[in-house]
Amino acid sequence: MMSVVGAQPFIKPMQSSPSVSPGIQRRHTLPASEVRPLNTQDAISVFEIEREAFISVSGECPLHLDEVRHFLTLCPELSMGWFEEGRLVAFIIGSLWDQDRLTSDALTLHKPCGSTVHIHVLAVHRTFRQQGKGPILMWRYLQYLRCLPNVRRAMLMCEDFLIPFYRKSGFKVLGRCAITVANLTFTEMWYPISGHAYMRRNSEAIRFPELPLTVPLTKTDEQVDV
């Protein structure tokens, strides 16, 4: 498993628990909102969200259930899940890759010595879409990758209608992808991973205790929020 340096602020609860009067007891102890790495116990929830998000649009899932379990076993530290009251609402799954461009092997392999994170999938539960959770989780994930000492860039492949969404997260077009799935074609995009994770305690937009996001969302962002 990859060594993680200074990454804890990016996988802590995203909101402080509200103060409770001495005479009022909380009915549960789950944090209102938290981000953490995924594990194999999350696999079914991951696949259900992914299947609903992608099958209706493209007819294909980026990862099948056995592949979800495969990557959450080999490299759980390259995944990130957003939970509300203990319920998974959004997630990212990645693995390491060791070539300049993606090939069909990148869909199923994890290369521990690679310096590129291949982002296989970002998906948001249908109930929580149009709330900016996709861009927020991606921003947080990219900052988290800056804490991993051997990672130099992130890559993904997407259909053309998603290019504006990923551009707003800082990705750049690399070119047409050599991979095709059924009749679907893709564009490769990349994001440079360098420097230190960006942290600021005060935000005018969304206040997290350790890691706020200050990117304002526009109507265009909401339309392609995944």
Side-chain angles (χ1 to χ4, degrees), residues 89-115:
V89 301
F91 68 88
I92 293 173
I93 293 179
S95 64
L96 285 176
W97 183 239
D98 61 356
Q99 298 181 31
D100 292 336
R101 301 294 296 266
L102 298 175
T103 70
S104 58
D105 286 343
L107 301 181
T108 56
L109 298 182
H110 168 60
K111 299 285 191 175
C113 295
S115 60

PDB file of all heavy atoms in Angstrom, residues 89-115:
ATOM      1  N   VAL A  89     -22.679   8.917  -0.654  1.00  0.00           N
ATOM      2  CA  VAL A  89     -23.400   9.774  -1.594  1.00  0.00           C
ATOM      3  C   VAL A  89     -22.570  10.129  -2.823  1.00  0.00           C
ATOM      4  O   VAL A  89     -23.127  10.559  -3.834  1.00  0.00           O
ATOM      5  CB  VAL A  89     -23.909  11.062  -0.907  1.00  0.00           C
ATOM      6  CG1 VAL A  89     -24.828  10.710   0.252  1.00  0.00           C
ATOM      7  CG2 VAL A  89     -22.759  11.936  -0.434  1.00  0.00           C
ATOM      8  N   ALA A  90     -21.253   9.969  -2.744  1.00  0.00           N
ATOM      9  CA  ALA A  90     -20.387  10.261  -3.887  1.00  0.00           C
ATOM     10  C   ALA A  90     -19.057   9.559  -3.672  1.00  0.00           C
ATOM     11  O   ALA A  90     -18.649   9.329  -2.531  1.00  0.00           O
ATOM     12  CB  ALA A  90     -20.178  11.770  -4.057  1.00  0.00           C
ATOM     13  N   PHE A  91     -18.376   9.236  -4.767  1.00  0.00           N
ATOM     14  CA  PHE A  91     -17.110   8.518  -4.601  1.00  0.00           C
ATOM     15  C   PHE A  91     -16.230   8.695  -5.826  1.00  0.00           C
ATOM     16  O   PHE A  91     -16.689   9.047  -6.913  1.00  0.00           O
ATOM     17  CB  PHE A  91     -17.353   7.021  -4.355  1.00  0.00           C
ATOM     18  CG  PHE A  91     -17.908   6.301  -5.552  1.00  0.00           C
ATOM     19  CD1 PHE A  91     -17.063   5.752  -6.514  1.00  0.00           C
ATOM     20  CD2 PHE A  91     -19.270   6.190  -5.743  1.00  0.00           C
ATOM     21  CE1 PHE A  91     -17.567   5.110  -7.628  1.00  0.00           C
ATOM     22  CE2 PHE A  91     -19.792   5.547  -6.861  1.00  0.00           C
ATOM     23  CZ  PHE A  91     -18.929   5.003  -7.805  1.00  0.00           C
ATOM     24  N   ILE A  92     -14.944   8.432  -5.618  1.00  0.00           N
ATOM     25  CA  ILE A  92     -13.941   8.357  -6.674  1.00  0.00           C
ATOM     26  C   ILE A  92     -13.123   7.094  -6.436  1.00  0.00           C
ATOM     27  O   ILE A  92     -12.790   6.779  -5.291  1.00  0.00           O
ATOM     28  CB  ILE A  92     -13.011   9.589  -6.664  1.00  0.00           C
ATOM     29  CG1 ILE A  92     -13.786  10.854  -7.043  1.00  0.00           C
ATOM     30  CG2 ILE A  92     -11.830   9.388  -7.624  1.00  0.00           C
ATOM     31  CD1 ILE A  92     -12.974  12.135  -6.882  1.00  0.00           C
ATOM     32  N   ILE A  93     -12.797   6.387  -7.498  1.00  0.00           N
ATOM     33  CA  ILE A  93     -11.909   5.232  -7.408  1.00  0.00           C
ATOM     34  C   ILE A  93     -10.768   5.421  -8.398  1.00  0.00           C
ATOM     35  O   ILE A  93     -11.005   5.738  -9.576  1.00  0.00           O
ATOM     36  CB  ILE A  93     -12.649   3.911  -7.703  1.00  0.00           C
ATOM     37  CG1 ILE A  93     -13.670   3.621  -6.598  1.00  0.00           C
ATOM     38  CG2 ILE A  93     -11.662   2.749  -7.818  1.00  0.00           C
ATOM     39  CD1 ILE A  93     -14.460   2.355  -6.815  1.00  0.00           C
ATOM     40  N   GLY A  94      -9.547   5.241  -7.926  1.00  0.00           N
ATOM     41  CA  GLY A  94      -8.372   5.371  -8.775  1.00  0.00           C
ATOM     42  C   GLY A  94      -7.408   4.215  -8.565  1.00  0.00           C
ATOM     43  O   GLY A  94      -7.553   3.416  -7.637  1.00  0.00           O
ATOM     44  N   SER A  95      -6.425   4.131  -9.438  1.00  0.00           N
ATOM     45  CA  SER A  95      -5.341   3.158  -9.293  1.00  0.00           C
ATOM     46  C   SER A  95      -4.095   3.770  -9.926  1.00  0.00           C
ATOM     47  O   SER A  95      -4.187   4.793 -10.620  1.00  0.00           O
ATOM     48  CB  SER A  95      -5.689   1.828  -9.962  1.00  0.00           C
ATOM     49  OG  SER A  95      -5.838   1.987 -11.364  1.00  0.00           O
ATOM     50  N   LEU A  96      -2.954   3.156  -9.702  1.00  0.00           N
ATOM     51  CA  LEU A  96      -1.707   3.678 -10.263  1.00  0.00           C
ATOM     52  C   LEU A  96      -1.451   3.101 -11.650  1.00  0.00           C
ATOM     53  O   LEU A  96      -1.751   1.934 -11.929  1.00  0.00           O
ATOM     54  CB  LEU A  96      -0.528   3.360  -9.337  1.00  0.00           C
ATOM     55  CG  LEU A  96      -0.434   4.202  -8.062  1.00  0.00           C
ATOM     56  CD1 LEU A  96       0.724   3.719  -7.197  1.00  0.00           C
ATOM     57  CD2 LEU A  96      -0.268   5.679  -8.390  1.00  0.00           C
ATOM     58  N   TRP A  97      -0.856   3.930 -12.499  1.00  0.00           N
ATOM     59  CA  TRP A  97      -0.534   3.562 -13.869  1.00  0.00           C
ATOM     60  C   TRP A  97       0.887   4.032 -14.159  1.00  0.00           C
ATOM     61  O   TRP A  97       1.358   5.009 -13.574  1.00  0.00           O
ATOM     62  CB  TRP A  97      -1.544   4.191 -14.829  1.00  0.00           C
ATOM     63  CG  TRP A  97      -1.384   3.835 -16.264  1.00  0.00           C
ATOM     64  CD1 TRP A  97      -1.159   4.682 -17.315  1.00  0.00           C
ATOM     65  CD2 TRP A  97      -1.454   2.525 -16.837  1.00  0.00           C
ATOM     66  NE1 TRP A  97      -1.090   3.990 -18.496  1.00  0.00           N
ATOM     67  CE2 TRP A  97      -1.268   2.652 -18.226  1.00  0.00           C
ATOM     68  CE3 TRP A  97      -1.649   1.241 -16.301  1.00  0.00           C
ATOM     69  CZ2 TRP A  97      -1.263   1.555 -19.092  1.00  0.00           C
ATOM     70  CZ3 TRP A  97      -1.645   0.153 -17.160  1.00  0.00           C
ATOM     71  CH2 TRP A  97      -1.459   0.322 -18.540  1.00  0.00           C
ATOM     72  N   ASP A  98       1.582   3.339 -15.077  1.00  0.00           N
ATOM     73  CA  ASP A  98       3.010   3.600 -15.285  1.00  0.00           C
ATOM     74  C   ASP A  98       3.376   3.965 -16.714  1.00  0.00           C
ATOM     75  O   ASP A  98       4.534   3.867 -17.103  1.00  0.00           O
ATOM     76  CB  ASP A  98       3.833   2.389 -14.830  1.00  0.00           C
ATOM     77  CG  ASP A  98       3.487   1.117 -15.617  1.00  0.00           C
ATOM     78  OD1 ASP A  98       2.568   1.176 -16.457  1.00  0.00           O
ATOM     79  OD2 ASP A  98       4.129   0.076 -15.382  1.00  0.00           O
ATOM     80  N   GLN A  99       2.400   4.404 -17.508  1.00  0.00           N
ATOM     81  CA  GLN A  99       2.685   4.817 -18.878  1.00  0.00           C
ATOM     82  C   GLN A  99       2.144   6.219 -19.129  1.00  0.00           C
ATOM     83  O   GLN A  99       1.317   6.722 -18.363  1.00  0.00           O
ATOM     84  CB  GLN A  99       2.068   3.821 -19.877  1.00  0.00           C
ATOM     85  CG  GLN A  99       2.632   2.415 -19.755  1.00  0.00           C
ATOM     86  CD  GLN A  99       2.038   1.456 -20.771  1.00  0.00           C
ATOM     87  OE1 GLN A  99       1.669   1.855 -21.884  1.00  0.00           O
ATOM     88  NE2 GLN A  99       1.917   0.189 -20.398  1.00  0.00           N
ATOM     89  N   ASP A 100       2.621   6.834 -20.238  1.00  0.00           N
ATOM     90  CA  ASP A 100       2.217   8.198 -20.558  1.00  0.00           C
ATOM     91  C   ASP A 100       0.769   8.293 -21.016  1.00  0.00           C
ATOM     92  O   ASP A 100       0.121   9.324 -20.836  1.00  0.00           O
ATOM     93  CB  ASP A 100       3.130   8.779 -21.647  1.00  0.00           C
ATOM     94  CG  ASP A 100       4.554   8.994 -21.160  1.00  0.00           C
ATOM     95  OD1 ASP A 100       4.732   9.134 -19.931  1.00  0.00           O
ATOM     96  OD2 ASP A 100       5.461   9.012 -21.991  1.00  0.00           O
ATOM     97  N   ARG A 101       0.261   7.231 -21.642  1.00  0.00           N
ATOM     98  CA  ARG A 101      -1.116   7.213 -22.108  1.00  0.00           C
ATOM     99  C   ARG A 101      -1.819   5.969 -21.575  1.00  0.00           C
ATOM    100  O   ARG A 101      -1.187   4.976 -21.226  1.00  0.00           O
ATOM    101  CB  ARG A 101      -1.171   7.219 -23.651  1.00  0.00           C
ATOM    102  CG  ARG A 101      -0.497   8.422 -24.315  1.00  0.00           C
ATOM    103  CD  ARG A 101      -1.220   9.733 -24.019  1.00  0.00           C
ATOM    104  NE  ARG A 101      -2.562   9.778 -24.560  1.00  0.00           N
ATOM    105  CZ  ARG A 101      -2.874  10.307 -25.745  1.00  0.00           C
ATOM    106  NH1 ARG A 101      -1.940  10.828 -26.506  1.00  0.00           N
ATOM    107  NH2 ARG A 101      -4.140  10.340 -26.154  1.00  0.00           N
ATOM    108  N   LEU A 102      -3.134   6.040 -21.541  1.00  0.00           N
ATOM    109  CA  LEU A 102      -3.924   4.913 -21.062  1.00  0.00           C
ATOM    110  C   LEU A 102      -4.079   3.866 -22.156  1.00  0.00           C
ATOM    111  O   LEU A 102      -4.266   4.205 -23.327  1.00  0.00           O
ATOM    112  CB  LEU A 102      -5.306   5.389 -20.608  1.00  0.00           C
ATOM    113  CG  LEU A 102      -5.334   6.388 -19.445  1.00  0.00           C
ATOM    114  CD1 LEU A 102      -6.766   6.850 -19.190  1.00  0.00           C
ATOM    115  CD2 LEU A 102      -4.739   5.770 -18.176  1.00  0.00           C
ATOM    116  N   THR A 103      -3.984   2.602 -21.769  1.00  0.00           N
ATOM    117  CA  THR A 103      -4.265   1.484 -22.668  1.00  0.00           C
ATOM    118  C   THR A 103      -5.341   0.626 -22.020  1.00  0.00           C
ATOM    119  O   THR A 103      -5.746   0.877 -20.877  1.00  0.00           O
ATOM    120  CB  THR A 103      -3.007   0.635 -22.924  1.00  0.00           C
ATOM    121  OG1 THR A 103      -2.674  -0.084 -21.721  1.00  0.00           O
ATOM    122  CG2 THR A 103      -1.825   1.505 -23.337  1.00  0.00           C
ATOM    123  N   SER A 104      -5.779  -0.398 -22.714  1.00  0.00           N
ATOM    124  CA  SER A 104      -6.828  -1.259 -22.167  1.00  0.00           C
ATOM    125  C   SER A 104      -6.409  -1.902 -20.847  1.00  0.00           C
ATOM    126  O   SER A 104      -7.256  -2.189 -19.999  1.00  0.00           O
ATOM    127  CB  SER A 104      -7.212  -2.329 -23.191  1.00  0.00           C
ATOM    128  OG  SER A 104      -6.078  -3.100 -23.560  1.00  0.00           O
ATOM    129  N   ASP A 105      -5.108  -2.116 -20.655  1.00  0.00           N
ATOM    130  CA  ASP A 105      -4.632  -2.689 -19.384  1.00  0.00           C
ATOM    131  C   ASP A 105      -4.927  -1.765 -18.209  1.00  0.00           C
ATOM    132  O   ASP A 105      -5.089  -2.231 -17.075  1.00  0.00           O
ATOM    133  CB  ASP A 105      -3.132  -2.970 -19.445  1.00  0.00           C
ATOM    134  CG  ASP A 105      -2.802  -4.189 -20.291  1.00  0.00           C
ATOM    135  OD1 ASP A 105      -3.718  -4.991 -20.556  1.00  0.00           O
ATOM    136  OD2 ASP A 105      -1.628  -4.340 -20.688  1.00  0.00           O
ATOM    137  N   ALA A 106      -4.992  -0.473 -18.468  1.00  0.00           N
ATOM    138  CA  ALA A 106      -5.237   0.492 -17.391  1.00  0.00           C
ATOM    139  C   ALA A 106      -6.628   0.335 -16.796  1.00  0.00           C
ATOM    140  O   ALA A 106      -6.888   0.815 -15.685  1.00  0.00           O
ATOM    141  CB  ALA A 106      -5.061   1.924 -17.903  1.00  0.00           C
ATOM    142  N   LEU A 107      -7.523  -0.343 -17.510  1.00  0.00           N
ATOM    143  CA  LEU A 107      -8.881  -0.520 -17.004  1.00  0.00           C
ATOM    144  C   LEU A 107      -8.951  -1.536 -15.881  1.00  0.00           C
ATOM    145  O   LEU A 107      -9.891  -1.511 -15.076  1.00  0.00           O
ATOM    146  CB  LEU A 107      -9.811  -0.956 -18.144  1.00  0.00           C
ATOM    147  CG  LEU A 107      -9.929  -0.007 -19.339  1.00  0.00           C
ATOM    148  CD1 LEU A 107     -10.898  -0.581 -20.355  1.00  0.00           C
ATOM    149  CD2 LEU A 107     -10.360   1.384 -18.894  1.00  0.00           C
ATOM    150  N   THR A 108      -7.962  -2.427 -15.803  1.00  0.00           N
ATOM    151  CA  THR A 108      -8.030  -3.511 -14.825  1.00  0.00           C
ATOM    152  C   THR A 108      -6.793  -3.650 -13.953  1.00  0.00           C
ATOM    153  O   THR A 108      -6.842  -4.348 -12.939  1.00  0.00           O
ATOM    154  CB  THR A 108      -8.265  -4.860 -15.537  1.00  0.00           C
ATOM    155  OG1 THR A 108      -7.227  -5.074 -16.505  1.00  0.00           O
ATOM    156  CG2 THR A 108      -9.615  -4.862 -16.246  1.00  0.00           C
ATOM    157  N   LEU A 109      -5.693  -2.997 -14.327  1.00  0.00           N
ATOM    158  CA  LEU A 109      -4.443  -3.199 -13.599  1.00  0.00           C
ATOM    159  C   LEU A 109      -4.128  -2.047 -12.655  1.00  0.00           C
ATOM    160  O   LEU A 109      -4.474  -0.891 -12.912  1.00  0.00           O
ATOM    161  CB  LEU A 109      -3.277  -3.375 -14.574  1.00  0.00           C
ATOM    162  CG  LEU A 109      -3.330  -4.584 -15.516  1.00  0.00           C
ATOM    163  CD1 LEU A 109      -2.080  -4.630 -16.373  1.00  0.00           C
ATOM    164  CD2 LEU A 109      -3.508  -5.879 -14.735  1.00  0.00           C
ATOM    165  N   HIS A 110      -3.447  -2.376 -11.566  1.00  0.00           N
ATOM    166  CA  HIS A 110      -2.877  -1.394 -10.639  1.00  0.00           C
ATOM    167  C   HIS A 110      -1.379  -1.586 -10.664  1.00  0.00           C
ATOM    168  O   HIS A 110      -0.878  -2.681 -10.387  1.00  0.00           O
ATOM    169  CB  HIS A 110      -3.422  -1.624  -9.234  1.00  0.00           C
ATOM    170  CG  HIS A 110      -2.695  -0.860  -8.164  1.00  0.00           C
ATOM    171  ND1 HIS A 110      -2.619   0.523  -8.167  1.00  0.00           N
ATOM    172  CD2 HIS A 110      -2.007  -1.288  -7.056  1.00  0.00           C
ATOM    173  CE1 HIS A 110      -1.926   0.913  -7.104  1.00  0.00           C
ATOM    174  NE2 HIS A 110      -1.549  -0.159  -6.427  1.00  0.00           N
ATOM    175  N   LYS A 111      -0.638  -0.532 -11.041  1.00  0.00           N
ATOM    176  CA  LYS A 111       0.820  -0.599 -11.154  1.00  0.00           C
ATOM    177  C   LYS A 111       1.447   0.116  -9.953  1.00  0.00           C
ATOM    178  O   LYS A 111       1.584   1.348  -9.961  1.00  0.00           O
ATOM    179  CB  LYS A 111       1.270   0.064 -12.454  1.00  0.00           C
ATOM    180  CG  LYS A 111       0.736  -0.588 -13.714  1.00  0.00           C
ATOM    181  CD  LYS A 111       1.463  -1.886 -14.010  1.00  0.00           C
ATOM    182  CE  LYS A 111       1.139  -2.406 -15.386  1.00  0.00           C
ATOM    183  NZ  LYS A 111       1.925  -3.605 -15.731  1.00  0.00           N
ATOM    184  N   PRO A 112       1.825  -0.622  -8.903  1.00  0.00           N
ATOM    185  CA  PRO A 112       2.295   0.018  -7.663  1.00  0.00           C
ATOM    186  C   PRO A 112       3.479   0.956  -7.840  1.00  0.00           C
ATOM    187  O   PRO A 112       3.661   1.872  -7.039  1.00  0.00           O
ATOM    188  CB  PRO A 112       2.662  -1.185  -6.775  1.00  0.00           C
ATOM    189  CG  PRO A 112       1.853  -2.317  -7.316  1.00  0.00           C
ATOM    190  CD  PRO A 112       1.777  -2.089  -8.792  1.00  0.00           C
ATOM    191  N   CYS A 113       4.292   0.739  -8.875  1.00  0.00           N
ATOM    192  CA  CYS A 113       5.460   1.600  -9.085  1.00  0.00           C
ATOM    193  C   CYS A 113       5.152   2.787  -9.998  1.00  0.00           C
ATOM    194  O   CYS A 113       6.040   3.590 -10.276  1.00  0.00           O
ATOM    195  CB  CYS A 113       6.610   0.783  -9.677  1.00  0.00           C
ATOM    196  SG  CYS A 113       7.244  -0.496  -8.564  1.00  0.00           S
ATOM    197  N   GLY A 114       3.925   2.905 -10.439  1.00  0.00           N
ATOM    198  CA  GLY A 114       3.564   4.004 -11.323  1.00  0.00           C
ATOM    199  C   GLY A 114       3.478   5.333 -10.596  1.00  0.00           C
ATOM    200  O   GLY A 114       3.305   5.390  -9.372  1.00  0.00           O
ATOM    201  N   SER A 115       3.579   6.415 -11.354  1.00  0.00           N
ATOM    202  CA  SER A 115       3.499   7.760 -10.777  1.00  0.00           C
ATOM    203  C   SER A 115       2.259   8.517 -11.256  1.00  0.00           C
ATOM    204  O   SER A 115       2.086   9.688 -10.955  1.00  0.00           O
ATOM    205  CB  SER A 115       4.756   8.568 -11.125  1.00  0.00           C
ATOM    206  OG  SER A 115       4.901   8.692 -12.535  1.00  0.00           O
TER     207      SER A 115
END
